[in-house]
Amino acid sequence: MDWPSFFQSIANGVLIAGLYASVTLGLTLVLGVMGIVNFAHGELVMLGAYSTFWLFTMLGIDPLLSIAITAPLLFLVGIFVYRFTIRPILKDPPLNQLLLTLGLSIFLQNLAMILWKTDSRSVITSYSGMSLHLGMVHVGATRLITFAISVALTAVLIVFLHKMRLGKAMRAVSENNTGSWLVGINVQKTYMLAFGVACALAGVSGSLVSTIMYTYPMVGFKLSLKAFCILILGGLGNISGALLGSLVLGLTESFVGTYVPEGSGWAEGISFFLIIVVLIIKPTGLAGTRRE
Amino acid sequence: MGSSIRWKTTLPLAILCAFLLLFPKLVGSYFLHLAVSGILAMILASSWDILARTGQVSVGQAGLFGIGAYSSALLYQRYALPPVLGMLAGALIATFVSIFLGYLTLRLRGIYFSITTIAFAEALTVIWLMTPDITGGAMGVSTPPLFGGDREKAYYLILAILAAVVAVVWLIEQSRLNFAFTAIRENEDVANVLGINPTKYKVLAFMISAFFTGFAGGFYSHYNTYIIPYEVFNLGVSIACLVMPIFGGLYTIAGPILGTVLIKAIEEYLRVTFSYGHQIAYGLILVLVVLFMPEGLLGLWRGKILPLFRSRPGR
Amino acid sequence: MRKDAPAKMTLLQVDRLTKHFGGLAAVHDVSFHVGEREIVSLIGPNGAGKTTIFNLVSGVYRPNSGDIRLGGESIAGLRPFDICRKGVGRTFQIMQPFPKMTVLENVVTGALFGRKPKVSMKTAEGEAVELCRLVGLGDKLKAFPKNLTVPDQKRIEIARALAVRPKLLLLDEVMSGLTPTETDEAIRLVLKLRETGATILLIEHVMKVVMGISDRVVVLHHGEKISEGPPFLVVDDPKVIEAYLGKMVDGEDEPAC
């Protein structure tokens, strides 16, 4: 067996899984707290990626430092989107919520095409080409950094949800929103902040995406689909499931890319095939589910 | 009494039919082409609406459209199957695929179905690109012009298909299926307890929807003479299928058709204005319709505008 | 505990039924029966497992163990629409008429799909009109549920359940939330149904109803059956007093007494 390429595949899979997890976390937060699958989440990531690209190109701000700008920026975008589109339909049937967020997704994709054309942009920094050698494995510097940031982000989110007041409120609301109201939690405000935090997460993911992928109008949609696959793999709306699902998807893509003939082309479709396969084998997702 | 009400509906309908039948004699080639693509879109919109009547939102009609398009084009290319038979074959193959996909996902709650349909269309793009020997790959497949390029014949064919879709929808509305579809859409659990097998009816609706969507795909491939995966399996096709009926008014015969006319007009205008991103209108319309006019244009007409006229005599 | 030998033919036999949710036993080892043309009430404090039993009998949930037989034939684990066609009709605790259908269309839906062999549209509509008259909705056929009063919405539920021509009718708290006058009307309706030969299992909080119309009462507490028998005997059972009457004295569920 060709061990170096085996370990290389594992390393690549785990590293990309970090990025996928960061994209899926925001989606999971909104789904878990509000029960809404936000089809426009990927487009918010896309906006984060474009922001990072323009901050880098026009002002020379390092993509990783620009997280300090994209996160609050997307938080504000999120509050705006929540206030004017999500809040009015909170009590609507799921079908309306789906159509609304899908509409937002299509709107933002096409807005990006009008504003920035369909060109693929990339952020190339002084350290973009660097890589580390760890035994048999080569690891790109940017990939490693994005992975580390994703892991840190996940840890912060978990601590936030379990230790901080607002985080606990979000968890309470996700369990039972009438009960939360009775114990004095402002459900509407909690929803708004949860949506804002999810969008801030999308902003961070966007900055990370811009360093290791091309930025183009449809990149968010592609990432949304991967995130949906991860949700279905992990069971809807829980964080540990999202992390597990990210690993499964990242590793599968990486191994298919390495070991299947013309694998890099097929790897693009892995998330779609996995969605269909998982629904055949176990309709509630591999890690079980709390929500229908 | 009864006959006067009859006249009110049948007379305009008869005039409309006569107009549609005489249309090719009245206009030039460009408008005929617009009419053909408009009617094609109406078929897609009405087919989507048939499935939506069971409460299921397909975001992957492009998959069925593309299957119809490719089946028909490839059968012509490989086996010289006559185009109209090819379209029928495309429709049947799309129907077959919908049975498979439907039984897998339609027993689940709606959101799984919607996500799976997107994945389905995207997966087909990848499969098509990766198997060029079978599918023609990114280069696509070309066929000679339909009916030797006779647009008038093409127009009558697609008009006949639209008539068939409208007839099927009308039959559904008259039959027990209407009760089953509506009950499942409004409350699946209650429908189930009342003796309705939700999966069975959802799959049936999906099959009817897939048949016409596949047929439209087959027509498109021959009419357009050239198809590529990025185009026929495109998300934009799936979105168009759902925006048009939602804009016009869901679960009606006229709604999807009305929505298509207006959206095609907006799209044609925007296409000239922007080289990319003209589908921004789709997104905007979806958001605005969900927020401000959940019953679409027809609902607006019935709820807000018609009463204005009705109240006049009383004043 | 009293165990009556079934005086009439047994229609519904529930046998050692158990249903868990996660680690929680919502229903544990519950057995009882309903004889033909009998009216049996399921009572017990909130969370006792009454609605879970309805969901098990009507097929909404699958039991973890135990059996449910309708006329001798096991229906445990069948899907709701199959069970419906075998002759079980039910209402829901939270009223759920189809909102975009008229009263008549709601009832027609039950008549069209709820039974074997299937009936034509015309027959279904004719029967639905009759049922609407029976429950007192004869003049509101074209109305939409949201424009009706609570008692009328409950009437839709009952008529729709009857439209499947059930051998067994499950009524889930159809009297709760009604004024005393409305309750009396509802009681008359249930008794009228019994005269037409219906077999009814009902969940009820209003003791006046339970005492007035039940042939037998099954008392549940924490998912287990603690007592069973004619109403006048059950209310004297010390176990029932301990588990249930304490709650009754609080008065929350007792608007009608």
Side-chain angles (χ1 to χ4, degrees), chain B residues 174-180 182-187 189-198 200-201 295, chain C residues 58 60 80-81 84-85 88 90 92 96 98-101 105 108-110 112-114 118-121 160 164:
Chain B
Q174 305 308 308
S175 76
R176 57 203 301 136
L177 284 180
N178 197 26
F179 286 89
T182 310
I184 293 167
R185 178 175 82 237
E186 303 219 313
N187 194 328
D189 294 328
V190 173
N192 205 333
V193 167
L194 287 175
I196 298 169
N197 178 349
K200 181 178 130 186
Y201 287 101
E295 291 184 47
Chain C
S58 60
V60 176
F81 55 87
C84 169
R85 290 179 203 153
V88 177
R90 77 169 282 187
F92 290 85
Q96 307 191 353
F98 299 119
K100 297 278 170 64
M101 291 190 189
E105 286 165 348
V108 167
T109 308
L112 275 176
F113 300 96
K118 286 196 169 161
V119 294
S120 72
M121 296 265 284
R160 198 172 59 182
V164 310

Side-chain angles (χ1 to χ4, degrees), chain B residues 275-292:
Chain B
S275 47
Y276 293 107
H278 57 267
Q279 288 190 342
I280 196 167
Y282 289 4
L284 203 59
I285 287 171
L286 260 185
V287 172
L288 294 178
V289 168
V290 172
L291 287 177
F292 302 114

Side-chain angles (χ1 to χ4, degrees), chain C residues 134-205:
Chain C
L134 176 74
V135 299
L137 288 171
D139 52 346
K140 292 165 187 151
L141 297 178
K142 300 274 181 222
F144 284 94
K146 66 166 191 251
N147 300 328
L148 296 180
T149 59
V150 169
D152 277 347
Q153 294 193 12
K154 297 200 171 198
R155 288 190 172 102
I156 303 176
E157 288 260 323
I158 295 174
R160 198 172 59 182
L162 286 170
V164 310
R165 278 216 192 137
K167 292 180 201 147
L168 173 69
L169 182 61
L170 309 176
L171 300 178
D172 196 345
E173 291 197 27
V174 284
M175 319 275 181
S176 68
L178 301 188
T179 64
T181 332
E182 290 162 356
T183 307
D184 287 339
E185 279 175 30
I187 290 175
R188 272 199 295 278
L189 175 60
V190 172
L191 292 174
K192 191 155 75 177
L193 293 180
R194 201 243 297 265
E195 277 163 31
T196 65
T199 306
I200 300 172
L201 178 62
L202 51 92
I203 293 178
E204 205 45 73
H205 274 307

